[in-house]
Amino acid sequence: MKQSKNNKLNFYCLKCDVKKFFDNINHDILINTLKREIENSDILSLIEEVVFSFQKEKGIPLGNLTSQYFANIYLNELDQFVKRKLRIKYYIRYTDDFLILNSDKNYLLELIKPINNFLKGRLKLNLHPDKIIVRKYNQGIDFLGYVTLPYYRVLRTKTKKRMFRKIDSKNIQSYLGILKHCDGHKLTRKLL
């Protein structure tokens, strides 16, 4: 990774997860965020119908195709806060999981409170306290089903076990696709 200057410098990774993200998306905040970007009242009415069709006063359904888009729009507020207010250069987010890289472990630890305060105050969300991790990059960063190490990436053990437990002829191509993104040659042979 670029931050490590080809693994010559030691650096750390702060990994965080938003607690029960999809269940806690505030409908009013989501709609108001969308209204800032969408001017067409017919489209907004349709979006409101989809959002408010969820039977609870907050949250959006996991399986709904629009939920993925809404999730990214909702957390764009967090992205802007991290990049513009905190001026963090090395930040990666996928849905409700994100990483921040820096050479100073204490700096990363100090970021937890302002990020959580922003999530609470602006988006009515919280970081999951059990899923806040700071560790050295060379120890491996577990993110999105893979463990990334300085010179290679492997499939997370839990993902590997689930893959072999659920394998059948219908999903083998999906698993082969997953293995293309890591050092999975041995697993590919075993799978085939």
Side-chain angles (χ1 to χ4, degrees):
M1 289 183 130
K2 187 177 178 181
Q3 175 73 5
S4 73
K5 304 218 186 293
N6 289 326
N7 210 33
K8 291 177 185 164
L9 296 178
N10 219 354
F11 73 99
Y12 297 86
C13 176
L14 167 64
K15 179 183 171 191
C16 297
D17 178 88
V18 177
K19 187 176 184 180
K20 296 186 178 182
F21 172 61
F22 284 94
D23 290 339
N24 287 309
I25 289 178
N26 181 289
H27 294 168
D28 292 329
I29 293 172
L30 176 60
I31 295 299
N32 288 330
T33 301
L34 290 165
K35 281 181 180 177
R36 288 196 303 263
E37 302 298 323
I38 300 170
E39 294 177 12
N40 185 306
S41 61
D42 291 336
I43 292 172
L44 280 170
S45 293
L46 181 61
I47 289 171
E48 285 179 358
E49 193 173 321
V50 170
V51 170
F52 292 117
S53 70
F54 194 55
Q55 299 301 317
K56 300 175 183 175
E57 55 191 58
K58 63 181 178 178
I60 55 178
L62 260 173
N64 192 330
L65 205 53
T66 57
S67 294
Q68 299 303 316
Y69 295 114
F70 293 157
N72 276 325
I73 290 165
Y74 200 83
L75 281 183
N76 180 56
E77 299 281 322
L78 173 64
D79 299 341
Q80 298 309 315
F81 174 74
V82 167
K83 295 299 254 176
R84 293 197 171 133
K85 291 280 187 189
L86 298 178
R87 299 194 170 279
I88 294 170
K89 187 173 182 179
Y90 299 105
Y91 166 76
I92 303 163
R93 180 182 64 81
Y94 184 83
T95 312
D96 63 329
D97 297 311
F98 62 91
L99 305 175
I100 298 173
L101 308 172
N102 195 282
S103 59
D104 185 344
K105 181 179 181 178
N106 290 326
Y107 171 74
L108 291 174
L109 291 169
E110 290 170 8
L111 290 174
I112 296 167
K113 186 174 181 180
I115 290 172
N116 203 36
N117 288 342
F118 175 83
L119 286 169
K120 283 180 185 180
R122 184 77 171 256
L123 301 174
K124 309 263 187 269
L125 298 170
N126 290 294
L127 291 176
H128 194 303
D130 298 333
K131 295 185 178 181
I132 298 172
I133 299 165
V134 177
R135 63 185 298 153
K136 287 183 180 179
Y137 170 67
N138 62 10
Q139 292 175 311
I141 305 303
D142 184 346
F143 190 61
L144 305 178
Y146 300 98
V147 177
T148 301
L149 294 140
Y151 298 106
Y152 62 99
R153 182 180 350 183
V154 295
L155 199 61
R156 179 193 296 152
T157 302
K158 185 176 167 183
T159 306
K160 191 184 329 177
K161 287 178 181 177
R162 185 180 325 117
M163 178 177 72
F164 282 107
R165 195 173 57 246
K166 294 184 173 191
I167 191 150
D168 63 33
S169 60
K170 294 176 188 170
N171 60 16
I172 194 162
Q173 290 302 318
S174 296
Y175 291 132
L176 291 172
I178 289 169
L179 291 170
K180 284 183 181 181
H181 298 284
C182 66
D183 187 7
H185 306 294
K186 289 179 185 176
L187 286 174
T188 299
R189 283 196 303 261
K190 188 174 179 182
L191 199 62
L192 293 173

